[in-house]
Amino acid sequence: MPFSSPIRAAKHVLELLDRLHHQSLEQEAAINPKGKFTSTDYIGDGEDKQPAFARADFDDIMRDKFIALDKDKCHFVYQLIGAMGATNVVEAGTSYGVSTIYLALAVAQNNALLKKQGKVFATEKEPEKAAKAKAYWKECGEEVEKVIEFRVGDLLDTLKSDLPQIDLLLLDIWTPLALPTLRIVQERLRPGAVVLVDNTISGATGYRDLLEYLNAPDSGFQNMTVPFTNGFEMSVYIP
């Protein structure tokens, strides 16, 4: 039996999301026919074949790829934001902006309910992807566009300043950047804030430093792996 969608959005937005998820899945299948794509596995394969393979090579390969957050995970994050009443969200790794649409819908709906003016702070390094993401958000309309503050460039620089207190951080980026990004945003996390990390089972090797940090006894994080495909870490910040 098909599951109903929790997403409250106009028909054209839902149709756009379906189309983008379909394109993302097709690209993932082309990159890795054996299963879900993770950056750690791909970089590892490249390094085995070519010792000089590095992040620059990975960036070149990924420049035109969606690799969007899975639809069921997007639905979970949308529901979680609604349940938390979250109004300020950081997305580390926006790519073509598919998951950002879900974040923006949830934040916009919380803003209306709670009379707030929260934002989704989206981040993307590649200008081409940033331009595409903006076009998709424009296609969605004002409800989505008006709550997104887009920071294009190296997120280790763009997230260093001008952040309000943050309710939720979504980490869906190249694994070596995950812990440095968390360290930057952590000082802005409110008590009870949630950190979500994608592919923490399949990408456990790449996330080793991050997972050790989160699970340290004095980290201030309470952690669990939500049983989505390849794992989805959910950490609650209780400093």
Side-chain angles (χ1 to χ4, degrees):
M1 187 176 87
F3 292 99
S4 61
S5 170
I7 310 304
R8 291 184 289 125
K11 182 182 178 183
H12 75 279
V13 175
L14 297 176
E15 290 174 346
L16 172 64
L17 288 169
D18 284 344
R19 186 174 83 243
L20 297 179
H21 278 296
H22 180 71
Q23 291 177 22
S24 179
L25 289 172
E26 285 186 333
Q27 288 184 345
E28 282 194 69
I31 294 171
N32 184 14
K34 296 179 182 179
K36 289 291 296 175
F37 170 88
T38 64
S39 62
T40 305
D41 291 343
Y42 199 87
I43 290 173
D45 289 345
E47 287 172 339
D48 291 340
K49 295 170 185 173
Q50 302 178 46
F53 192 92
R55 184 184 174 190
D57 303 276
F58 178 73
D59 287 345
D60 286 340
I61 291 164
M62 297 307 297
R63 192 158 280 120
D64 64 345
K65 305 299 189 297
F66 279 84
I67 316 300
L69 190 68
D70 294 346
K71 184 185 285 189
D72 56 355
K73 295 175 183 175
C74 288
H75 287 185
F76 174 76
V77 177
Y78 171 90
Q79 290 281 72
L80 180 62
I81 290 173
M84 293 174 63
T87 53
N88 285 308
V89 172
V90 171
E91 181 182 44
T94 289
S95 185
Y96 285 99
V98 182
S99 52
T100 324
I101 295 171
Y102 292 93
L103 304 180
L105 287 168
V107 167
Q109 289 157 13
N110 281 345
N111 281 344
L113 181 66
L114 301 172
K115 305 290 191 282
K116 297 274 187 80
Q117 294 184 330
K119 293 283 186 183
V120 175
F121 299 90
T123 62
E124 177 51 48
K125 178 184 177 183
E126 298 294 338
E128 298 90 348
K129 285 188 174 183
K132 272 286 192 182
K134 288 180 180 178
Y136 293 136
W137 302 338
K138 184 177 181 61
E139 187 175 341
C140 289
E142 185 182 5
E143 181 183 21
V144 166
E145 275 194 296
K146 69 182 180 182
V147 299
I148 299 172
E149 181 175 312
F150 204 10
R151 301 189 177 189
V152 180
D154 186 336
L155 82 174
L156 297 183
D157 294 324
T158 63
L159 292 177
K160 277 183 178 177
S161 61
D162 300 322
L163 283 180
Q165 193 172 59
I166 298 301
D167 301 302
L168 185 141
L169 166 64
L170 174 60
L171 292 167
D172 189 15
I173 50 176
W174 193 52
T175 53
L177 288 176
L179 180 54
T181 303
L182 174 59
R183 288 182 182 275
I184 288 171
V185 178
Q186 184 172 346
E187 66 182 28
R188 302 303 306 157
L189 295 178
R190 70 163 172 85
V194 171
V195 176
L196 299 170
V197 190
D198 194 24
N199 295 328
T200 50
I201 293 176
S202 60
T205 300
Y207 282 127
R208 182 180 293 116
D209 289 347
L210 173 71
L211 295 174
E212 288 178 355
Y213 181 83
L214 289 170
N215 286 287
D218 59 349
S219 71
F221 290 96
Q222 297 179 355
N223 311 290
M224 67 175 294
T225 303
V226 186
F228 287 105
T229 301
N230 286 338
F232 199 48
E233 202 72 11
M234 176 178 172
S235 302
V236 181
Y237 188 50
I238 310 291

